[in-house]
Amino acid sequence: QVQLQESGPGLVKPSETLSLTCAVSGYSISSGYYWGWIRQPPGKGLEWIGTIYHSGNTDYNPSLKSRVTISVDTSKNQFSLKLKSVTAADTAVYYCATIGRQQLVWLSLDPWGQGTLVTVSS
Amino acid sequence: SYEMTQPPSVSVSPGQTASITCSGDKLGNKYVFWYQQKPGQSPVLVIFEDSKRPSGIPERFSGSNSGNTATLTISGTQAMDEADYYCQAWDSSTALFGGGTKLTVL
């Protein structure tokens, strides 16, 4: 059973870089799923940030693409998110999730990590 | 860019049927996924590939998708079903979410 756990600083200063890691357990990150980041500002809806495969191939939300980098570390069975030049608008709960794909068809985001709140404030 | 629209809120009496819609251009040509999110919790997949239920999801949850509208139906709604529900689809390699619907069980 795949389990995911986000970790990282809960407070980031404006203009700095937000960095989070998602540790995967119960499954080898190299075995075939895709892996993604999603965020949810307080009281608002879900926003997809990006997706990565164990090969390092990525897809990013066009609205965030200029500021986002997602990377994978297969030796540690984890993947990471970096979001640079943050502002208060980037304050959100950040989730990581497993993403299915079969024969070029994108599938569900399941399961999700528990999420971690990141606040951007000086 | 592709967008999906959900009603902000839906109310239902216990035991009745709740229907939550998700609208988008030719949405029926895409797979739709539905997630349930209770306060303070992570989203949970309740319907995948339009109408399939993951193991552990009660049979009262069902889904359909045709034309421009996907629908999540909860039959015999229970108090525990009160939550936010999000539809999700893919546009090329971009994951898209509807704005979410708050289901209130009165």
Side-chain angles (χ1 to χ4, degrees):
Chain A
Q1 182 180 356
V2 184
Q3 293 185 311
L4 302 97
Q5 178 69 60
E6 306 88 349
S7 62
L11 180 64
V12 181
K13 290 182 168 56
S15 80
E16 295 189 345
T17 297
L18 177 159
S19 296
L20 297 173
T21 296
C22 181
V24 179
S25 58
Y27 188 86
S28 170
I29 207 166
S30 300
S31 292
Y33 282 121
Y34 286 70
W35 310 93
W37 287 99
I38 305 95
R39 70 179 183 178
Q40 184 173 36
K44 297 188 178 180
L46 301 167
E47 179 182 36
W48 173 74
I49 299 171
T51 301
I52 191 165
Y53 194 50
H54 66 77
S55 63
N57 290 348
T58 54
D59 290 294
Y60 297 135
N61 186 323
S63 69
L64 298 170
K65 188 173 184 177
S66 63
R67 297 194 292 132
V68 171
T69 301
I70 297 176
S71 59
V72 64
D73 187 338
T74 54
S75 66
K76 295 182 178 179
N77 217 43
Q78 64 186 35
F79 60 103
S80 299
L81 168 70
K82 290 189 184 298
L83 180 66
K84 64 182 182 181
S85 305
V86 298
T87 69
D90 295 309
T91 294
V93 175
Y94 286 76
Y95 297 100
C96 56
T98 306
I99 302 174
R101 193 176 192 201
Q102 189 170 34
Q103 296 178 345
L104 302 183
V105 177
W106 290 101
L107 302 177
S108 56
L109 284 67
D110 178 54
W112 298 52
Q114 68 181 30
T116 186
L117 174 63
V118 179
T119 301
V120 178
S121 175
S122 55
Chain B
S1 62
Y2 194 87
E3 294 184 355
M4 297 184 299
T5 302
Q6 298 180 235
S9 63
V10 168
S11 297
V12 63
S13 299
Q16 299 304 301
T17 297
S19 295
I20 299 172
T21 58
C22 176
S23 300
D25 185 46
K26 299 178 183 177
L27 186 58
N29 292 341
K30 304 178 186 294
Y31 275 146
V32 172
F33 308 88
W34 290 93
Y35 302 88
Q36 176 194 67
Q37 186 180 34
K38 295 182 178 180
Q41 298 184 17
S42 306
V44 172
L45 180 71
V46 294
I47 292 290
F48 67 98
E49 295 173 25
D50 297 337
S51 59
K52 301 176 182 177
R53 272 181 298 105
S55 61
I57 300 301
E59 290 184 8
R60 63 180 180 274
F61 287 85
S62 63
S64 64
N65 183 22
S66 180
N68 295 325
T69 304
T71 303
L72 172 68
T73 302
I74 309 172
S75 304
T77 307
Q78 299 183 10
M80 68 173 64
D81 301 328
E82 187 164 285
D84 293 328
Y85 291 86
Y86 294 89
C87 61
Q88 181 254 316
W90 292 90
D91 184 38
S92 186
S93 296
T94 299
L96 301 166
F97 291 95
T101 298
K102 181 175 181 60
L103 177 67
T104 301
V105 183
L106 298 170

